[in-house]
Amino acid sequence: MEKHLYLIINKEAGSGNGKKVADKLEKQLALLSVKHTIFYTEYAGHERLIVQQLAVETLVPWQEAQEHDLFPLLVIMGGDGTLHSAVNALYEIDPTIPVGYLPCGSGNDFARGTGIERQLEKGLSQILRAEEPQIIQVIRYEDAVQNEKGFAVNNVGIGLDAAIVQAANTSKTKQTLNKFNMGSLSYLFSILKVLFTQKGFPILVDINGKSMEVSRAFLCTVTNHPYFGGGVAIAPTADPRKPIFDLVLVERINIFKIFWLIYLLSRKKHMESKNFHHYQTSKLRIVSTIPEYVHADGEILGEQNLDITFTIHEGLFWFTDN
């Protein structure tokens, strides 16, 4: 199938790594004589406007692909946050339009979890060789309290991981460290801070036809593939090609047990711990009457009470396995 790539590129992704990769990409596209049009984002959220305009004027649903001699393919190049924003903008208009992805962020968990190559030439080859999209499960969430809904390509976190993201994003040292490509240090400092300050909070969980009350939730993450936090395999059994997602739940325990659990996590033995709870389902509801930070794909949704229902959505992503 002959394709015309419509690329949306975030040059600021990965603390500026996006610009370097974008320069390489342009050379590769010219070398391979690939038909393409490039749009560079100019500010935070700009990708949403570009996606919406393309979805209305240019892109077509996959079921109409055979009607076009030259298939217009949307390709996002950036980090997980850029992909999250673009996918949500696209699905508001037509969730059956496929998406290609070239990762150049700092975490790249979606690429890692789905088998998309993180090296540019290999990732571009996966897109160019593909003849049809793959079905990758994404998480659909809807909060009845905030009247907010959306999609997450990686995970939705309540409590610890969201508080870490919030602390890192508001860190006074983050911008300085980013200038030296050391933004990950800001994230590390935030982890250490939040580990000591995050309190347990009560939640109600409806899962697999059962309700359970958790009095001191600490880490509560819904994920559709194994990774979060830039390559941490929090849910090793999660599979983005199966129509289920995983819930990881850790209750507040003393700091020594937390560090022991982190050690087990580094050895990929955390699922053996009695302090680590893991569930799989295709529908889930979590209620909290205590305001907590919530994030979707590393994007903070707010500090809020919540009543969130999670379901599965079949996303169409354009790449081929190696």
Side-chain angles (χ1 to χ4, degrees):
M1 173 182 289
E2 192 171 5
K3 300 175 282 290
H4 184 115
L5 306 188
Y6 289 85
L7 294 122
I8 300 177
I9 299 177
N10 178 5
K11 291 191 289 186
E12 301 303 315
S15 300
N17 180 57
K19 185 180 187 306
K20 298 177 184 178
V21 182
D23 293 340
K24 290 175 61 177
L25 175 63
E26 289 194 50
K27 294 177 182 178
Q28 283 292 309
L29 293 172
L31 180 66
L32 299 172
S33 299
V34 177
K35 295 182 177 65
H36 68 279
T37 302
I38 293 179
F39 302 87
Y40 291 106
T41 60
E42 298 175 2
Y43 50 85
H46 190 199
E47 65 278 354
R48 289 186 59 87
L49 298 178
I50 302 172
V51 167
Q52 289 169 342
Q53 183 175 356
L54 286 174
V56 171
E57 299 177 359
T58 306
L59 304 175
V60 297
W62 171 238
Q63 59 266 29
E64 298 177 13
Q66 301 305 321
E67 302 174 13
H68 297 264
D69 296 328
L70 190 63
F71 184 68
L73 177 62
L74 175 66
V75 179
I76 306 300
M77 182 172 158
D80 287 327
T82 306
L83 181 63
H84 169 87
S85 179
V87 163
N88 275 272
L90 182 66
Y91 287 1
E92 287 176 7
I93 296 173
D94 191 335
T96 65
I97 295 175
V99 182
Y101 178 51
L102 293 170
C104 63
S106 54
N108 301 322
D109 282 328
F110 181 76
R112 186 180 285 104
T114 56
I116 294 174
E117 292 285 350
R118 286 168 282 161
Q119 198 271 338
L120 174 64
E121 289 81 2
K122 292 181 179 179
L124 180 60
S125 176
Q126 284 182 296
I127 289 173
L128 297 178
R129 289 187 290 112
E131 293 296 317
E132 61 182 11
Q134 295 196 33
I135 295 177
I136 299 294
Q137 309 296 337
V138 300
I139 301 166
R140 186 180 188 277
Y141 59 89
E142 186 166 358
D143 185 4
V145 176
Q146 305 297 326
N147 193 27
E148 183 175 30
K149 58 185 178 181
F151 298 86
V153 298
N154 294 321
N155 34 63
V156 177
I158 304 163
L160 179 68
D161 53 336
I164 291 171
V165 171
Q166 173 66 12
N169 288 347
T170 57
S171 170
K172 294 180 180 179
T173 60
K174 182 179 180 180
Q175 291 184 345
T176 302
L177 290 171
N178 279 346
K179 293 178 181 179
F180 300 97
N181 293 322
M182 298 172 65
S184 58
L185 281 180
S186 172
Y187 193 76
L188 177 60
F189 295 151
S190 299
I191 291 174
L192 294 174
K193 174 185 176 182
V194 173
L195 277 176
F196 285 95
T197 58
Q198 175 69 25
K199 298 179 180 179
F201 55 96
I203 58 172
L204 172 68
V205 179
D206 287 338
I207 184 170
N208 295 327
K210 298 181 180 179
S211 293
M212 61 180 182
E213 294 182 1
V214 180
S215 60
R216 302 185 71 214
F218 184 59
L219 170 73
C220 183
T221 299
V222 180
T223 184
N224 67 326
H225 62 68
Y227 304 101
F228 83 155
V232 179
I234 188 70
T237 60
D239 187 339
R241 289 170 175 80
K242 294 182 179 179
I244 55 175
F245 48 76
D246 291 43
L247 169 65
V248 169
L249 186 60
V250 176
E251 295 184 69
R252 179 73 213 197
I253 48 182
N254 70 57
I255 196 66
F256 300 105
K257 290 183 178 180
I258 290 173
F259 280 114
W260 177 248
L261 188 57
I262 293 173
Y263 170 75
L264 293 177
L265 179 61
S266 70
R267 301 290 300 274
K268 299 182 180 180
K269 294 183 177 181
H270 56 289
M271 294 187 72
E272 301 172 8
S273 170
K274 65 180 182 179
N275 297 311
F276 183 90
H277 307 288
H278 171 255
Y279 310 88
Q280 291 185 318
T281 186
S282 59
K283 187 175 182 179
L284 169 70
R285 179 182 175 222
I286 298 176
V287 179
S288 174
T289 57
I290 303 295
E292 288 294 328
Y293 283 113
V294 183
H295 82 87
D297 297 335
E299 302 297 307
I300 293 294
L301 302 181
E303 184 180 20
Q304 58 201 45
N305 298 346
L306 52 94
D307 183 350
I308 304 184
T309 298
F310 300 91
T311 52
I312 281 292
H313 171 79
E314 292 186 346
L316 299 179
F317 290 87
W318 193 280
F319 68 102
T320 185
D321 295 325
N322 286 327

